[in-house]
Amino acid sequence: MDQQDIAQRLVEIGIALSEERQLPKLLAKVVDHSLNFTNADAASLYVRDRDELEFRFTRNLTLEKRSTDNQFTTFKLPIDSRSVAGYVALNKHTVLIPDVYNRHDSLPFKFDDSFDKRVGYRSQSMLVVPIIDNLGQVLGVLQLINHMHNGEAEAFPEELRRPVEALAGQVAIALRNVVLVDQLALSQRETVYRLCRAAETRDNETGNHIKRISYFAHKLAELRGEDASFRELVFDASPMHDLGKIGIPDAVLLKPGRLTDNERVIMNTHAQLGYDMLAGSDSALLEMGATIAQTHHERWDGTGYPQQLQGMRIPLEGRITALVDVFDALSSPRVYKPAWPLEKVIDYCTEQRGQHFDGELVDTLIENMDDFLAIREEYADEFDEDEGEHSIITPAIKKPLN
Ligand code: C2E
Ligand code: SIN
Ligand code: SIN
Ligand code: SIN
Ligand code: FE
Ligand code: FE
């Protein structure tokens, strides 16, 4: 390979790695590309976890050909000079060893031959590089073993040192991105969920309502055959539908009886309020939340609020949330009304086909009622004020709502 081929391949690998959004797949890709790029027989990847290195992924082509059981167990190493990986992470520089059993270097660690002994492998040459991000932080270590040439293990050529360090730089970027995206998505979800719960608990003491809405909306999307990204977004965004209720005074929101016309006008501003709170960000999640907040009280016949959108002009996520919100609101007690029995809820939804609701969605709901009742039982309000999935009460012994 000449310099230009090397640069070309590094760019290609960098792009391939940057496309991967899931950490386990990224780790596997890194190992595969590294093996390929260096003609190594085996590669292992360690990822830093605070002051330790976690062994996360490995491949060994010779052992795979022997179809030796390819299972590996993860383990952790301290970042110190007792192991080659720890040494590389600690000192942030590459180690190149021609033969680990015949060393003439003064490096402090001892070669751990327990793996070789256990599986009958002969480790010989090694090229071990730190994975360092642009802030100089060590994110992990890439360990390459046995540079193969005409079927024989040889020392890794010195000329591979720089290119492999460059490769490790690409890995650092990809790793950072995946971890940051993960953390961002998680913290967004968490923030939004807590915010929605805070809004919800004001008028709904044992608020599993927003959990049920999530699962109902996800189920409807799934039954319609919507793709995974839509399903996931609607799952995370539908709890935001009533976020605007945060801006409604207690005297209106918590009024035990029927609202006056004037109060009703105030109450109805919650849809636009929610939109105003959520709109205008770069986040797909908040964007869908904004849309849902704004459109969840539109009606199929165009008599809803705030925009009197009609039919298919109402975005799918709004139509879905409208139906599951009412389905759940009717089956639950409110300050202004008791819970309705299931038959009455179903009758109402059927009756409102093409008036309040998208008829196709109503059909899907009714035809798959068992799925929705299972969700309703799983996240029933009784017993279960906290996290549903951590409840020690199993769904089977939960009291049905009616
Ligand atoms: P919510 O309690 O979460 O109800 C959501 C939607 O479920 C309502 O949207 C309505 O479409 C449906 N729904 C709930 N209860 C009934 C009912 O008894 N009969 C019928 N036909 N539909 C029902 P809507 O009407 O736009 O109300 C939005 C929010 O305004 C409600 O959210 C609730 O917080 C508040 N609200 C509505 N009516 C009253 C009321 O009479 N008194 C009080 N205090 N609040 C009300
Ligand atoms: C899905 O795969 O349907 C989305 C996952 C979820 O958020 O539940
Ligand atoms: C209510 O006012 O009780 C809910 C709204 C409706 O009846 O449509
Ligand atoms: C969608 O399938 O994502 C939108 C189509 C629709 O509005 O029904
Ligand atoms: Fe609402
Ligand atoms: Fe609601």
Side-chain angles (χ1 to χ4, degrees), residues 259-335:
L259 302 178
T260 64
D261 288 351
N262 206 15
E263 289 164 339
R264 189 73 216 191
V265 170
I266 295 170
M267 187 64 226
N268 288 3
T269 62
H270 81 278
Q272 187 63 33
L273 271 177
Y275 174 84
D276 292 341
M277 291 168 69
L278 294 165
S281 85
D282 288 335
S283 151
L285 173 58
L286 297 189
E287 273 308 299
M288 188 185 274
T291 303
I292 287 176
Q294 193 179 33
T295 59
H296 77 284
H297 286 297
E298 298 292 353
R299 296 168 54 113
W300 185 261
D301 62 12
T303 65
Y305 62 91
Q307 302 179 95
Q308 286 81 47
L309 297 180
Q310 198 174 352
M312 296 295 276
R313 286 177 189 265
I314 309 166
L316 177 62
E317 55 269 36
R319 283 179 275 140
I320 287 177
T321 306
L323 177 57
V324 299
D325 182 35
V326 174
F327 178 73
D328 197 65
L330 294 180
S331 7
S332 310
R334 288 285 191 264
V335 282

Coordinates of all heavy atoms in Angstrom, one line a residue, residues 259-335:
L259 N -66.7 23.5 33.2 CA -66.1 24.8 33.0 C -67.1 25.7 32.4 O -67.9 25.3 31.6 CB -64.9 24.6 32.0 CG -63.7 23.7 32.4 CD1 -62.7 23.6 31.4 CD2 -63.1 24.2 33.8
T260 N -67.0 27.0 32.7 CA -67.8 28.0 32.1 C -67.2 28.3 30.7 O -66.1 27.8 30.4 CB -67.7 29.4 32.8 OG1 -66.4 29.8 32.8 CG2 -68.2 29.2 34.2
D261 N -67.9 29.0 29.8 CA -67.4 29.2 28.5 C -66.0 29.9 28.5 O -65.1 29.6 27.8 CB -68.3 30.1 27.7 CG -69.6 29.3 27.3 OD1 -69.6 28.1 27.5 OD2 -70.5 29.9 26.8
N262 N -66.0 30.9 29.5 CA -64.7 31.7 29.6 C -63.6 30.8 30.1 O -62.5 30.9 29.5 CB -65.0 32.8 30.6 CG -64.1 34.0 30.4 OD1 -63.5 34.0 29.3 ND2 -64.0 34.8 31.4
E263 N -63.8 29.9 31.0 CA -62.8 29.0 31.5 C -62.4 28.0 30.4 O -61.2 27.7 30.3 CB -63.3 28.2 32.7 CG -63.5 29.1 34.0 CD -64.4 28.4 35.1 OE1 -65.2 27.5 34.7 OE2 -64.2 28.8 36.2
R264 N -63.3 27.7 29.6 CA -63.1 26.8 28.5 C -62.1 27.4 27.5 O -61.2 26.7 27.1 CB -64.4 26.4 27.9 CG -64.3 25.3 26.8 CD -64.2 24.0 27.5 NE -63.3 23.1 26.7 CZ -63.1 21.8 26.9 NH1 -63.7 21.2 27.8 NH2 -62.4 21.2 26.1
V265 N -62.3 28.7 27.3 CA -61.4 29.4 26.4 C -59.9 29.3 27.0 O -59.0 29.1 26.2 CB -61.8 30.8 26.2 CG1 -60.7 31.6 25.4 CG2 -63.1 30.9 25.4
I266 N -59.8 29.6 28.3 CA -58.5 29.5 28.9 C -57.9 28.1 28.8 O -56.8 27.9 28.4 CB -58.6 30.0 30.4 CG1 -59.0 31.4 30.5 CG2 -57.3 29.7 31.1 CD1 -59.4 31.9 31.9
M267 N -58.8 27.2 29.2 CA -58.3 25.8 29.1 C -57.8 25.4 27.7 O -56.8 24.7 27.6 CB -59.5 24.9 29.5 CG -59.2 23.4 29.7 SD -58.0 23.2 31.1 CE -56.9 22.1 30.3
N268 N -58.5 25.8 26.7 CA -58.1 25.4 25.4 C -56.8 25.9 24.9 O -56.2 25.4 23.9 CB -59.2 25.7 24.4 CG -60.5 24.8 24.6 OD1 -60.5 24.0 25.5 ND2 -61.5 25.0 23.7
T269 N -56.3 27.0 25.6 CA -55.0 27.5 25.2 C -53.9 26.5 25.5 O -52.8 26.7 25.0 CB -54.7 28.9 25.9 OG1 -54.6 28.6 27.3 CG2 -55.7 29.9 25.6
H270 N -54.2 25.5 26.2 CA -53.1 24.5 26.6 C -52.4 23.9 25.3 O -51.2 23.6 25.4 CB -53.5 23.5 27.6 CG -54.2 22.3 27.0 ND1 -55.5 22.3 26.7 CD2 -53.7 21.1 26.7 CE1 -55.9 21.1 26.2 NE2 -54.8 20.3 26.2
A271 N -53.2 23.8 24.3 CA -52.6 23.1 23.1 C -51.5 24.0 22.4 O -50.4 23.6 22.2 CB -53.7 22.8 22.1
Q272 N -51.9 25.3 22.2 CA -50.9 26.2 21.6 C -49.8 26.5 22.6 O -48.6 26.6 22.2 CB -51.7 27.5 21.2 CG -50.8 28.5 20.4 CD -50.3 27.9 19.0 OE1 -51.0 27.1 18.4 NE2 -49.1 28.2 18.6
L273 N -50.1 26.6 23.9 CA -49.1 26.9 24.9 C -48.0 25.8 24.8 O -46.8 26.1 24.9 CB -49.7 26.8 26.3 CG -50.2 28.2 26.9 CD1 -50.8 27.9 28.2 CD2 -49.0 29.1 27.0
G274 N -48.4 24.5 24.7 CA -47.5 23.4 24.7 C -46.6 23.5 23.4 O -45.4 23.3 23.5
Y275 N -47.3 23.9 22.3 CA -46.5 24.1 21.1 C -45.5 25.1 21.2 O -44.3 25.0 20.9 CB -47.5 24.4 19.9 CG -46.7 24.7 18.6 CD1 -46.3 23.7 17.8 CD2 -46.4 26.0 18.3 CE1 -45.6 24.0 16.6 CE2 -45.8 26.3 17.1 CZ -45.4 25.3 16.3 OH -44.7 25.6 15.2
D276 N -45.9 26.3 21.8 CA -44.9 27.4 22.0 C -43.7 27.0 22.8 O -42.6 27.4 22.6 CB -45.6 28.6 22.6 CG -46.7 29.2 21.6 OD1 -46.6 28.9 20.4 OD2 -47.6 29.9 22.0
M277 N -44.0 26.2 23.9 CA -42.9 25.7 24.7 C -41.9 24.8 24.0 O -40.7 24.8 24.3 CB -43.5 25.0 26.0 CG -44.2 25.9 26.9 SD -45.2 24.9 28.1 CE -43.8 24.2 29.1
L278 N -42.4 24.0 23.1 CA -41.6 23.0 22.5 C -41.0 23.2 21.2 O -40.0 22.7 20.8 CB -42.4 21.6 22.5 CG -42.8 21.1 23.8 CD1 -43.9 20.0 23.6 CD2 -41.6 20.4 24.5
A279 N -41.7 24.1 20.4 CA -41.3 24.3 19.0 C -40.0 25.0 18.8 O -39.5 25.8 19.7 CB -42.4 25.1 18.3
G280 N -39.4 24.9 17.7 CA -38.2 25.7 17.3 C -36.9 25.1 17.7 O -35.9 25.8 17.5
S281 N -36.9 23.8 18.1 CA -35.6 23.3 18.5 C -35.1 22.4 17.3 O -35.8 22.2 16.3 CB -35.6 22.4 19.7 OG -36.1 21.1 19.4
D282 N -33.8 21.9 17.4 CA -33.3 21.0 16.4 C -33.6 19.6 16.7 O -33.3 18.7 15.9 CB -31.7 21.1 16.4 CG -31.2 22.5 15.9 OD1 -32.0 23.0 15.0 OD2 -30.1 22.9 16.2
S283 N -34.3 19.4 17.8 CA -34.5 18.0 18.2 C -35.8 17.4 17.6 O -36.8 18.0 17.7 CB -34.6 17.9 19.7 OG -35.4 16.9 20.1
A284 N -35.6 16.3 16.9 CA -36.8 15.6 16.3 C -37.8 15.3 17.3 O -39.0 15.4 17.1 CB -36.3 14.4 15.5
L285 N -37.3 14.9 18.5 CA -38.2 14.5 19.6 C -39.0 15.7 20.0 O -40.3 15.6 20.2 CB -37.4 14.0 20.8 CG -38.1 13.7 22.1 CD1 -39.2 12.7 21.9 CD2 -37.1 13.2 23.1
L286 N -38.4 16.9 20.3 CA -39.2 18.1 20.7 C -40.1 18.6 19.6 O -41.2 19.1 19.8 CB -38.2 19.2 21.2 CG -37.4 18.8 22.4 CD1 -36.7 20.1 22.9 CD2 -38.2 18.2 23.5
E287 N -39.6 18.4 18.3 CA -40.4 18.9 17.2 C -41.7 18.0 17.2 O -42.8 18.6 17.0 CB -39.7 18.7 15.9 CG -38.9 19.9 15.5 CD -39.7 21.2 15.6 OE1 -40.7 21.4 14.8 OE2 -39.3 22.1 16.4
M288 N -41.6 16.7 17.3 CA -42.8 15.9 17.3 C -43.7 16.2 18.5 O -44.9 16.3 18.5 CB -42.5 14.4 17.2 CG -43.9 13.7 17.0 SD -43.8 11.9 17.0 CE -43.4 11.6 15.3
G289 N -43.0 16.5 19.7 CA -43.8 16.9 20.9 C -44.6 18.2 20.6 O -45.7 18.3 21.0
A290 N -44.0 19.1 19.9 CA -44.6 20.4 19.6 C -45.9 20.1 18.7 O -46.9 20.6 19.0 CB -43.7 21.3 18.9
T291 N -45.6 19.3 17.7 CA -46.7 19.0 16.8 C -47.9 18.3 17.5 O -49.1 18.7 17.3 CB -46.2 18.1 15.7 OG1 -45.2 18.7 15.0 CG2 -47.3 17.7 14.7
I292 N -47.5 17.4 18.4 CA -48.6 16.7 19.1 C -49.3 17.6 20.1 O -50.6 17.5 20.2 CB -48.0 15.4 19.9 CG1 -47.6 14.4 18.8 CG2 -48.9 14.9 20.9 CD1 -46.9 13.1 19.4
A293 N -48.6 18.4 20.8 CA -49.2 19.4 21.7 C -50.2 20.2 20.9 O -51.4 20.5 21.4 CB -48.2 20.3 22.4
Q294 N -49.8 20.7 19.8 CA -50.6 21.6 19.0 C -51.8 20.9 18.4 O -52.9 21.6 18.2 CB -49.8 22.3 17.9 CG -50.5 23.5 17.3 CD -49.6 24.1 16.2 OE1 -48.9 23.4 15.5 NE2 -49.7 25.4 16.1
T295 N -51.7 19.7 18.0 CA -52.8 19.1 17.2 C -53.6 18.0 17.9 O -54.5 17.4 17.3 CB -52.2 18.4 15.9 OG1 -51.2 17.5 16.3 CG2 -51.5 19.5 15.0
H296 N -53.3 17.7 19.2 CA -54.0 16.6 19.8 C -55.5 16.9 20.1 O -56.2 16.0 20.5 CB -53.3 16.1 21.0 CG -53.4 16.9 22.3 ND1 -52.8 18.1 22.4 CD2 -54.2 16.7 23.4 CE1 -53.0 18.6 23.6 NE2 -53.9 17.8 24.2
H297 N -55.9 18.1 20.0 CA -57.4 18.4 20.1 C -58.0 18.8 18.8 O -59.2 19.3 18.8 CB -57.6 19.5 21.2 CG -57.4 18.9 22.6 ND1 -58.2 17.9 23.2 CD2 -56.4 19.2 23.6 CE1 -57.7 17.6 24.4 NE2 -56.7 18.4 24.6
E298 N -57.3 18.7 17.7 CA -58.0 18.8 16.4 C -59.0 17.7 16.3 O -58.7 16.6 16.8 CB -57.0 18.9 15.3 CG -56.0 20.0 15.4 CD -56.6 21.4 15.2 OE1 -57.9 21.5 14.8 OE2 -56.0 22.4 15.4
R299 N -60.0 17.9 15.5 CA -61.0 16.8 15.3 C -61.0 16.5 13.8 O -60.9 17.4 12.9 CB -62.4 17.2 15.8 CG -62.4 17.3 17.3 CD -63.7 18.0 17.7 NE -64.9 17.2 17.2 CZ -65.7 16.6 18.0 NH1 -65.6 16.5 19.3 NH2 -66.7 15.9 17.4
W300 N -61.2 15.3 13.4 CA -61.3 14.8 12.0 C -62.2 15.7 11.2 O -61.9 16.0 10.0 CB -61.7 13.4 12.0 CG -61.6 12.8 10.6 CD1 -62.7 12.6 9.8 CD2 -60.5 12.3 9.9 NE1 -62.3 12.0 8.6 CE2 -60.9 11.8 8.6 CE3 -59.1 12.2 10.2 CZ2 -60.0 11.3 7.7 CZ3 -58.2 11.6 9.3 CH2 -58.7 11.2 8.0
D301 N -63.4 16.1 11.8 CA -64.4 16.9 11.0 C -64.0 18.4 11.0 O -64.8 19.2 10.5 CB -65.8 16.7 11.6 CG -65.9 17.1 13.0 OD1 -65.0 17.8 13.6 OD2 -67.0 16.8 13.7
G302 N -62.9 18.8 11.6 CA -62.5 20.2 11.4 C -63.1 21.1 12.5 O -62.9 22.3 12.4
T303 N -63.7 20.5 13.5 CA -64.3 21.4 14.6 C -63.5 21.4 15.9 O -64.0 21.9 16.9 CB -65.7 20.9 14.9 OG1 -65.6 19.6 15.5 CG2 -66.6 20.9 13.7
G304 N -62.2 21.0 15.8 CA -61.4 20.9 17.0 C -60.7 22.3 17.2 O -61.1 23.3 16.6
Y305 N -59.7 22.3 18.0 CA -58.9 23.5 18.3 C -57.4 23.2 18.4 O -57.1 22.0 18.6 CB -59.4 24.2 19.6 CG -59.2 23.4 20.9 CD1 -58.1 23.4 21.7 CD2 -60.2 22.5 21.3 CE1 -57.9 22.7 22.8 CE2 -60.1 21.8 22.5 CZ -59.0 21.9 23.2 OH -58.8 21.1 24.4
P306 N -56.5 24.1 18.2 CA -56.7 25.5 18.0 C -56.9 25.9 16.5 O -57.3 27.1 16.2 CB -55.4 26.1 18.5 CG -54.4 25.1 18.4 CD -55.1 23.8 18.4
Q307 N -56.5 25.1 15.5 CA -56.5 25.5 14.1 C -57.6 25.0 13.3 O -57.6 25.3 12.1 CB -55.2 25.1 13.5 CG -53.9 25.6 14.2 CD -52.6 25.1 13.5 OE1 -52.1 25.8 12.7 NE2 -52.2 23.9 13.9
Q308 N -58.5 24.2 13.9 CA -59.6 23.6 13.1 C -59.1 22.9 11.8 O -59.6 23.0 10.7 CB -60.7 24.7 12.6 CG -61.6 25.1 13.8 CD -60.9 26.2 14.6 OE1 -60.4 27.1 14.1 NE2 -61.0 26.0 15.9
L309 N -58.0 22.2 12.0 CA -57.5 21.3 10.9 C -58.5 20.2 10.7 O -59.2 19.8 11.6 CB -56.1 20.7 11.3 CG -54.9 21.7 11.5 CD1 -53.7 20.9 11.9 CD2 -54.7 22.5 10.3
Q310 N -58.5 19.7 9.4 CA -59.4 18.7 9.1 C -58.8 17.5 8.5 O -57.8 17.6 7.7 CB -60.4 19.3 8.1 CG -61.7 18.5 7.9 CD -62.7 19.2 7.0 OE1 -62.4 20.3 6.6 NE2 -63.8 18.5 6.7
G311 N -59.3 16.3 8.9 CA -58.8 15.0 8.2 C -57.3 14.8 8.2 O -56.6 15.0 9.2
M312 N -56.9 14.4 7.0 CA -55.5 14.1 6.8 C -54.5 15.3 7.0 O -53.3 15.2 7.0 CB -55.2 13.5 5.4 CG -55.9 12.1 5.3 SD -55.2 10.9 6.4 CE -53.8 10.3 5.5
R313 N -55.1 16.5 7.1 CA -54.3 17.7 7.4 C -53.8 17.7 8.8 O -52.8 18.4 9.1 CB -55.1 19.0 7.2 CG -55.3 19.3 5.7 CD -56.2 20.6 5.6 NE -56.5 20.7 4.2 CZ -55.8 21.5 3.3 NH1 -54.8 22.2 3.7 NH2 -56.1 21.5 2.0
I314 N -54.4 16.9 9.6 CA -53.9 16.7 11.0 C -52.8 15.7 10.9 O -53.0 14.6 10.4 CB -55.0 16.2 11.9 CG1 -56.3 17.1 11.8 CG2 -54.5 16.1 13.4 CD1 -57.5 16.4 12.5
P315 N -51.6 16.0 11.4 CA -50.5 15.0 11.2 C -50.8 13.7 12.0 O -51.6 13.7 13.0 CB -49.3 15.7 12.0 CG -49.7 17.1 12.1 CD -51.2 17.2 12.0
L316 N -50.3 12.6 11.4 CA -50.6 11.3 12.0 C -50.4 11.3 13.5 O -51.2 10.7 14.2 CB -49.7 10.3 11.2 CG -49.9 8.8 11.8 CD1 -51.3 8.3 11.5 CD2 -48.9 7.9 11.1
E317 N -49.3 11.8 13.9 CA -49.0 11.7 15.4 C -50.1 12.5 16.2 O -50.4 12.1 17.3 CB -47.6 12.2 15.7 CG -47.3 13.6 15.2 CD -46.6 13.7 13.8 OE1 -47.0 12.9 12.9 OE2 -45.8 14.6 13.6
G318 N -50.6 13.5 15.6 CA -51.7 14.2 16.3 C -53.0 13.4 16.3 O -53.7 13.4 17.3
R319 N -53.3 12.8 15.2 CA -54.5 11.9 15.1 C -54.4 10.8 16.1 O -55.4 10.4 16.7 CB -54.7 11.4 13.7 CG -55.3 12.5 12.7 CD -55.4 11.9 11.3 NE -54.1 12.0 10.6 CZ -53.6 11.1 9.8 NH1 -54.3 10.0 9.6 NH2 -52.5 11.3 9.1
I320 N -53.2 10.2 16.1 CA -53.0 9.0 17.0 C -53.2 9.5 18.5 O -53.9 8.9 19.3 CB -51.6 8.4 16.8 CG1 -51.6 7.6 15.5 CG2 -51.2 7.5 18.0 CD1 -50.2 7.1 15.2
T321 N -52.5 10.6 18.8 CA -52.6 11.0 20.2 C -54.0 11.5 20.6 O -54.5 11.2 21.7 CB -51.6 12.1 20.5 OG1 -50.3 11.7 20.1 CG2 -51.5 12.5 22.0
A322 N -54.7 12.1 19.7 CA -56.1 12.5 20.0 C -56.9 11.3 20.4 O -57.7 11.4 21.4 CB -56.7 13.2 18.7
L323 N -56.8 10.2 19.6 CA -57.6 9.1 19.9 C -57.2 8.4 21.3 O -58.1 8.2 22.1 CB -57.5 8.0 18.8 CG -58.3 6.7 19.0 CD1 -59.8 7.0 19.3 CD2 -58.1 5.8 17.8
V324 N -55.9 8.2 21.5 CA -55.5 7.5 22.7 C -55.7 8.4 23.9 O -56.0 7.8 25.0 CB -54.1 6.9 22.6 CG1 -54.0 5.9 21.5 CG2 -53.0 8.0 22.5
D325 N -55.6 9.7 23.7 CA -55.8 10.6 24.9 C -57.2 10.5 25.4 O -57.5 10.4 26.6 CB -55.4 12.0 24.5 CG -55.6 13.0 25.6 OD1 -55.3 12.6 26.8 OD2 -56.0 14.2 25.4
V326 N -58.2 10.6 24.4 CA -59.6 10.5 24.8 C -59.9 9.1 25.4 O -60.6 9.0 26.4 CB -60.5 10.9 23.7 CG1 -62.0 10.7 24.0 CG2 -60.2 12.4 23.2
F327 N -59.4 8.1 24.7 CA -59.7 6.7 25.1 C -59.2 6.6 26.6 O -60.0 6.1 27.4 CB -58.9 5.8 24.3 CG -59.0 4.3 24.7 CD1 -60.1 3.6 24.5 CD2 -57.9 3.7 25.3 CE1 -60.2 2.3 24.9 CE2 -58.0 2.4 25.7 CZ -59.1 1.6 25.5
D328 N -58.1 7.2 26.9 CA -57.6 7.1 28.3 C -58.3 8.0 29.2 O -58.6 7.7 30.4 CB -56.1 7.3 28.4 CG -55.5 6.8 29.7 OD1 -55.6 5.5 29.9 OD2 -55.1 7.6 30.5
A329 N -58.6 9.3 28.8 CA -59.3 10.2 29.6 C -60.7 9.7 30.0 O -61.1 9.9 31.2 CB -59.4 11.6 28.9
L330 N -61.4 9.1 29.1 CA -62.7 8.7 29.4 C -62.7 7.5 30.4 O -63.5 7.4 31.2 CB -63.5 8.2 28.1 CG -63.8 9.4 27.1 CD1 -64.5 8.8 25.9 CD2 -64.6 10.5 27.8
S331 N -61.7 6.6 30.2 CA -61.7 5.4 31.1 C -61.1 5.8 32.5 O -61.0 4.9 33.3 CB -60.9 4.2 30.5 OG -60.3 4.6 29.3
S332 N -60.6 7.0 32.7 CA -60.0 7.4 33.9 C -60.9 8.4 34.7 O -61.6 9.2 34.0 CB -58.7 8.0 33.7 OG -57.9 7.2 32.9
P333 N -60.8 8.4 36.0 CA -61.6 9.5 36.7 C -60.9 10.8 36.5 O -59.6 10.9 36.4 CB -61.5 9.0 38.2 CG -60.3 8.1 38.2 CD -60.1 7.5 36.9
R334 N -61.6 11.9 36.5 CA -61.1 13.2 36.4 C -61.7 14.1 37.5 O -62.8 13.7 38.0 CB -61.4 13.9 35.1 CG -60.6 13.3 33.9 CD -59.1 13.8 33.9 NE -58.4 13.6 32.7 CZ -57.6 12.5 32.5 NH1 -57.5 11.6 33.5 NH2 -56.9 12.4 31.4
V335 N -61.1 15.2 37.8 CA -61.8 16.0 38.9 C -63.2 16.4 38.5 O -64.1 16.6 39.3 CB -61.0 17.4 39.2 CG1 -59.8 17.2 40.0 CG2 -60.7 18.1 37.9

